[in-house]
Every structure is written in C-alpha cells, then in structure tokens.
Amino acid sequence: MNTPFRFKLQLAPFFPYLHSILTPSFPRCLWRGNLSQPEIALTFDDGPHPEYTLELLKVLDQFQITASFFWLGQWVEQYPEIAQAVYQRGHWIGLHGYQHQSFPFLSEIELKQSLEKTQTAIFKACHLEPELILDVRPPNGFFLPQTLELLTAWGYRPVMWSVVPEDWLHPGVNVVTQRVIKQTQNGSIIVLHDGYFGGKDVAKTVQEIIPKLLEQNYRFVTISKFWQSAKPMI
C-alpha cells in the first residue's frame, strides 16, 4: 500500500484564518459556495475504501444526503464495486490524483498522467466519461500558481475547502464534530476522509454532524451546485 505524506501537526485552529488569506489570493479555486444561501457541501477524500466507504454510504442513505467524493485512482482500480456503489447513488465524483502525492512534487507529465489514469479507472468502474470528471482537489491541499495554471489549461476545475477538522489525525468523533459545527456557515465546503487515513471514524462522525446541521436549516448540495453560482475563473 502506498504510504502518502500527511500533515502531522495540529493545525485545525489555524485553517479558518488560512482560508481567509488564500481565498482571495487564488480565485481560480472553488473555496466555498454562495454565502447568501444556507447550502453546504459535504466532501470526502482518499476513497474508495472497502469498509469505511460502505459504512459512510449507509449514513448518507439514512439521511438522503448527496455528497461529493474525491477519489484516488489506485483505490478505484482495486475496489471498483465500491466506486460503483457510490456513483450509482448519485454522489458527485472528483479527482484526488492516482496516488496521494502532492501535485507540486510531480512533473507536468506525471501530474497529467496521474489525473488521466484516475479518470480512466473511474470510467472502467462507473462508466462515467472522463470529460465529465473535471473537479480536482490537490492532496494535502498543496498547490502552486503553476499547478493551477496547468489544471485550468487542461480543463480541470480546482476544488478546495473551507472547513477542515483534521479527521486524519484521529482527534475523536466529538472533536471533529465540534470543529465542523463551529466553523460551518453558508457556502461551507466541509472536507472529511473515507480512506485509510481518517476513514475509521467517518461514518460515526457524519452520523453526528448531519442531524446537527439539518437542525440549523442547512441544505446539503454537491460541488456541482456550487460551481453553478461561482464567479468565472480568472
């Protein structure tokens, strides 16, 4: 199994401030939805996983929530039936690279191949045409201006986040839930993980988060809906 680089530091308290700095600096990325609408997007990175993703799907089914999944191509190839189960439920599908490698560490050719290889894996598993899989979330949230230039030149749409509870560090379901509830506002893009890192508690976490956010009258939408109201990329 590929062992990806991960943040080990506890940075959760700083992400809201970092988000406010990065958002205007990189308008080519989708950082959030419409602030005037009580709509939020629940997104999941690093899957599909044969256990964690299936547990997660049961919770999403229970509340009839449609989410967005950013997949690693290597796991789509290994677990195509799990990928198909996600897609058949109408969840939105995006790319997270073939392996969990930070994009700035890849050459231009390697990055392009990583994305195209993942698109091909998704097509084989779900019969979703590659030209319809355009949303890309960089692993670890790492990118450079050159990374964005390449992604947009190739026709991809960079997707980031506004609520990052650091579930991959396993701080516990209660801590992750509290962070999400505290930070969520209109247009929030919440990032959780259903892969090998962070996925162990994802179903329990979502079971706690969804009803609390519904009580606050938020509506769950996909990343596709957020793009519809986004300003054109510069």
Side-chain angles (χ1 to χ4, degrees):
M1 182 182 74
N2 177 54
T3 303
F5 168 77
R6 298 276 172 168
F7 274 127
K8 296 299 183 182
L9 299 176
Q10 293 279 350
L11 299 175
F14 303 101
F15 277 122
Y17 303 101
L18 182 64
H19 179 267
S20 65
I21 295 172
L22 293 176
T23 300
S25 301
F26 297 98
R28 294 184 181 185
C29 298
L30 181 70
W31 294 92
R32 61 192 177 197
N34 192 335
L35 293 176
S36 66
Q37 297 294 325
E39 297 177 336
I40 57 178
L42 197 53
T43 71
F44 301 94
D45 290 0
D46 295 359
H49 185 279
E51 179 182 354
Y52 306 150
T53 302
L54 288 180
E55 293 173 347
L56 171 61
L57 286 178
K58 291 179 181 178
V59 180
L60 296 176
D61 288 349
Q62 174 188 346
F63 291 101
Q64 297 183 319
I65 298 297
T66 304
S68 303
F69 289 77
F70 291 85
W71 281 340
L72 294 172
Q74 64 173 344
W75 302 133
V76 176
E77 285 185 352
Q78 190 158 343
Y79 307 112
E81 70 286 356
I82 308 297
Q84 190 177 66
V86 173
Y87 178 64
Q88 286 179 340
R89 285 167 166 79
H91 298 293
W92 190 252
I93 307 303
L95 309 172
H96 204 41
Y98 185 76
Q99 294 179 319
H100 201 278
Q101 297 172 295
S102 294
F103 288 172
F105 298 157
L106 301 176
S107 69
E108 180 177 335
I109 294 176
E110 290 172 334
L111 175 56
K112 197 168 192 293
Q113 289 178 338
S114 174
L115 297 172
E116 291 178 347
K117 197 173 178 181
T118 303
Q119 286 174 308
T120 299
I122 295 172
F123 174 73
K124 290 180 178 179
C126 306
H127 304 292
L128 178 60
E129 296 292 340
E131 60 267 22
L132 298 178
I133 319 169
L134 300 178
D135 290 336
V136 178
R137 175 173 283 155
N140 297 313
F142 284 174
F143 63 85
L144 297 173
Q146 299 95 309
T147 311
L148 300 185
E149 289 177 5
L150 289 174
L151 292 177
T152 54
W154 295 333
Y156 295 109
R157 305 186 300 188
V159 177
M160 296 302 290
W161 30 252
S162 58
V163 178
V164 190
E166 282 191 326
D167 57 329
W168 66 88
L169 292 179
H170 302 289
V173 172
N174 290 337
V175 171
V176 173
T177 299
Q178 290 170 9
R179 288 172 178 172
V180 171
I181 300 304
K182 180 179 179 180
Q183 296 179 27
T184 297
Q185 57 184 309
N186 288 357
S188 285
I189 298 177
I190 304 165
V191 58
L192 296 169
H193 297 76
D194 64 323
Y196 283 95
F197 290 83
K200 178 173 66 71
D201 293 328
V202 69
K204 294 178 182 178
T205 300
V206 172
Q207 183 81 51
E208 293 291 324
I209 289 172
I210 290 177
K212 288 180 170 60
L213 293 174
L214 289 174
E215 288 175 1
Q216 297 182 29
N217 295 318
Y218 286 115
R219 298 192 301 271
F220 290 86
V221 301
T222 66
I223 289 300
S224 175
K225 178 68 165 57
F226 277 178
W227 277 118
Q228 294 174 18
S229 58
K231 295 179 181 179
M233 289 191 295
I234 298 173

